Amino acid sequence: MTGTHHGNRYGRSEEARQAVLHAADDLLVERGFAGVTIEGVAARAGVAKQTIYRWWSSKVDILLDTLIDDMAKELTPRDHGDVSRDLRAHLHKVALFLTRADAGAVFRALVGHAQHDPAMAARLRADYLSQQRARDRIPLERAVERGELSSETDIEVALDELLGPVHYRVLVTGEPVPRKFTDHLVDQFLVRYGTGRG
Amino acid sequence: MTGTHHGNRYGRSEEARQAVLHAADDLLVERGFAGVTIEGVAARAGVAKQTIYRWWSSKVDILLDTLIDDMAKELTPRDHGDVSRDLRAHLHKVALFLTRADAGAVFRALVGHAQHDPAMAARLRADYLSQQRARDRIPLERAVERGELSSETDIEVALDELLGPVHYRVLVTGEPVPRKFTDHLVDQFLVRYGTGRG
Amino acid sequence: MTGTHHGNRYGRSEEARQAVLHAADDLLVERGFAGVTIEGVAARAGVAKQTIYRWWSSKVDILLDTLIDDMAKELTPRDHGDVSRDLRAHLHKVALFLTRADAGAVFRALVGHAQHDPAMAARLRADYLSQQRARDRIPLERAVERGELSSETDIEVALDELLGPVHYRVLVTGEPVPRKFTDHLVDQFLVRYGTGRG
Amino acid sequence: MTGTHHGNRYGRSEEARQAVLHAADDLLVERGFAGVTIEGVAARAGVAKQTIYRWWSSKVDILLDTLIDDMAKELTPRDHGDVSRDLRAHLHKVALFLTRADAGAVFRALVGHAQHDPAMAARLRADYLSQQRARDRIPLERAVERGELSSETDIEVALDELLGPVHYRVLVTGEPVPRKFTDHLVDQFLVRYGTGRG
DNA sequence: TATTAACCGAGACGGTACGTCGAGTCTTACG
DNA sequence: CGTAAGACTCGACGTACCGTCTCGGTTAATA
């Protein structure tokens, strides 16, 4: 009746999964968060609504799925052998990620939605942000190992000082986040905490 | 409302306005952002939907109306005669405001929604956040006048360094924002920028 | 936003009501009972689904509304001054009604559905069929008054004998119900029950 | 079903067939016609939907399968040697069958559905009702042979006069069909058509 | 005895329609 | 003119079944 189907007892259709994720992503970028509807995603993906509801609980759930890959892929810090270069590079990557159209848009939309939905906020933090937080720690932990930072540095607070201003600009003031700004944050941070050996 | 409606040939009903604002506020706290609907507000306020649409353009518009008074009232910094005490007090007040149930909930909800709605975000920044930003500048400008901060201090960047971590915790990580944290931010800031005269 | 609306505090839109009834009727005739869907009726009538649900509880409810006028209009027996002519005329009208495309189709569909839905069956009998039954009694009661039938005639049973075979053909065997057949039923009936004065 | 399924190269599983028929029958009695769904039958019978679609074209097709045995079994008239007793007995059996919960429910449901589906109605008449009609003729044909009825009797019309009122009560008015009523129908019929020898 | 084709259960798939909710618009009667 | 009331169109929600299409495993006639 309907053309080609891909039912399969042992496992879902990867084709349908990809179509849904891409459709949701596209709609978010094109029409914004309110423009992402289950009905719209289904239509655009060429998929039945029921198929979406079978695997995702809400449009937020879909967007989380689109986010997780990107974040790990784009935001894993590399080792440049030097705390300053590590931090400058990582903070810049974070800024680029947050302000870029596609993946950053998903992140902003989800953090925005989290303000309206405590349960989803808890899940976002437990499943996604904590992973990112772990990646963010890496440059600082390496710096402590290298002796570039005191071993008594409060890394949690340090992360807030470095990442806080970047997210604040993105989420609240809407100011751009140029490289100069992130570099400045790193420099100020090292002035205070660095051992002078870095 | 009193049960009887109140036509008024010369001007709008202040009674209706207050009922709407309170109903919206109550619903936000009780049921969250999604629980605030025009229909629900109208029913709760004992007001016709049309009356709401006549004076507000959306539920976000109503919530903005509830926010503006509170922010000016609660977040105007006092002068303690000393940059450290000024900043510590102000940052603490900001943290309290953001994390408190009612007014902070409205703020978080609106910033959350702004992530989904660029036009509303622009308006939020132009009409509300810029006013708050001006209030936030006061302690720093006073410190420059007093000579406690160099006159070359980039106040915009300084604000981002002070307020950014606070908003980051509130909006992203969900960590609490204790006085110890805000005090630490101020201390670190003054270590770097202070003239030593403060 | 949508063109012309006709909201009105004091009363529903007669225009919408008529459009719904006609659309339902048309769909029934064109596509059969299964082809009558709330969604389809709404689309065809140019009416919102919500408007239908506001005034009718189901598609059956709509069809009942289309039926009631027709039945009273078409099946009220006239007085020909003679039991034989009265009954022949009435039975023929019933047969025509039942076998005709539009109104008869509605009747058949509803009686068919009543077989699946005891609650609806009860309502159909209480609100519609009993009215028709009352109309069907008229010729027989007149005949008793005229002395053409014994006053001891069991009118209920008589009605079953006259109307039963007609409905049986329509609903069960699908045989046509020609005038010859209905006339024969009347003749046989009068042979048995008539006083010979008719 | 036993929990293990039973592939069979040459021929279908009688076990599955019975499970489906019983499940359909049970669901019809418990939840009515609308409560009979292919999914529900499959689940209840412990059978795959595909197995149902392999052997039946629709839920109506399943119910027809449950009907055919019962009708032949229960509605074959016996020979009492006398037209009056033959007809009284047969008409009473028909009335019992139609008004009883299980088999009668299936019959009523199918006749009801036939009002909505002309193709199914044609099939119902061709495959089932015509067989029943043949059985219904038997007592009358025997009576003609015996000389109890004139050989010129129009048996088709006679059947409508006898069976029509019974079906009318069952399908339309919902009145009970007591023995007194069926006996009366037979008596009236014989008054008119009998040769007086019966 | 091993092969293998028809049947079986399970269940994912693309769809249609369901009945509900809220959005934003429009009309009315009243004060 | 502003108000309460509420009917209107519209879009999306999440659910139930539809009928189709694999999939991996079972069974029994045949090679």
Side-chain angles (χ1 to χ4, degrees), chain A residues 106-120:
Chain A
V106 174
F107 177 88
R108 291 194 308 275
L110 290 175
V111 170
H113 184 77
Q115 310 307 317
H116 305 152
D117 183 345
M120 182 268 170

Side-chain angles (χ1 to χ4, degrees), chain A residues 51-106:
Chain A
T51 297
I52 296 182
Y53 283 109
R54 197 175 353 253
W55 302 110
W56 293 276
S57 64
S58 66
K59 71 174 180 176
V60 168
D61 203 35
I62 301 173
L63 292 174
L64 283 171
D65 240 17
T66 73
L67 184 64
I68 193 162
D69 298 337
D70 283 356
M71 268 179 50
K73 198 182 309 163
E74 301 193 23
L75 295 180
T76 301
R78 292 202 295 123
D79 187 348
H80 303 81
D82 173 274
V83 64
S84 177
R85 289 166 61 200
D86 278 4
L87 287 175
R88 283 168 167 246
H90 185 59
L91 219 55
H92 179 60
K93 279 207 292 192
V94 169
L96 280 183
F97 175 82
L98 293 178
T99 54
R100 246 197 21 247
D102 46 353
V106 174

Side-chain angles (χ1 to χ4, degrees), chain A residues 1 3 5 7-10 36-40 49-50 53:
Chain A
M1 168 185 282
H5 297 279
N8 179 344
R9 176 174 184 185
Y10 298 97
V36 181
T37 64
I38 299 284
E39 210 131 88
K49 279 166 68 180
Q50 187 57 52
Y53 283 109

Side-chain angles (χ1 to χ4, degrees), chain D residues 11 24 29 31 37 55 60 69 71 73 89 98 110 130 145-146 148 155-156 180 192 197:
Chain D
V29 172
R31 308 193 202 171
T37 64
W55 302 110
V60 168
D69 299 336
M71 269 181 50
K73 198 183 309 164
L98 292 178
L110 290 174
S130 67
E145 286 174 20
R146 290 193 197 106
E148 295 165 323
I155 292 185
E156 298 307 315
K180 185 180 167 190
R192 284 174 285 153
R197 291 175 44 201

Side-chain angles (χ1 to χ4, degrees), chain D residues 86-109:
Chain D
D86 279 4
L87 285 176
R88 281 167 166 246
H90 186 60
L91 219 55
H92 179 59
K93 279 205 290 190
V94 169
L96 279 182
F97 176 83
L98 292 178
T99 54
R100 246 198 19 248
D102 45 350
V106 175
F107 177 87
R108 291 194 307 276

Side-chain angles (χ1 to χ4, degrees), chain B residues 60-61 64 109-111 113-115 117-125:
Chain B
V60 168
D61 203 35
L64 284 171
L110 290 174
V111 171
H113 184 76
Q115 310 307 318
D117 183 345
M120 183 267 169
R123 186 167 161 226
L124 179 68
R125 284 159 190 153

Side-chain angles (χ1 to χ4, degrees), chain B residues 74-94 131-150 153 155-156 158-159 162-163 186 189-190 198:
Chain B
E74 300 193 25
L75 294 180
T76 300
R78 291 203 296 123
D79 185 349
H80 302 81
D82 175 274
V83 64
S84 176
R85 286 167 62 198
D86 278 5
L87 286 176
R88 282 168 167 245
H90 185 60
L91 220 54
H92 180 59
K93 279 205 293 190
V94 169
Q131 292 185 18
Q132 180 53 33
R133 188 81 170 180
R135 283 190 290 270
D136 295 332
R137 294 174 64 98
I138 294 173
L140 294 171
E141 288 168 344
R142 266 200 298 252
V144 171
E145 286 174 19
R146 291 192 196 107
E148 294 164 325
L149 283 182
S150 156
T153 308
I155 290 184
E156 298 307 314
L159 287 174
L162 289 165
L163 293 165
V186 172
F189 171 75
L190 292 178

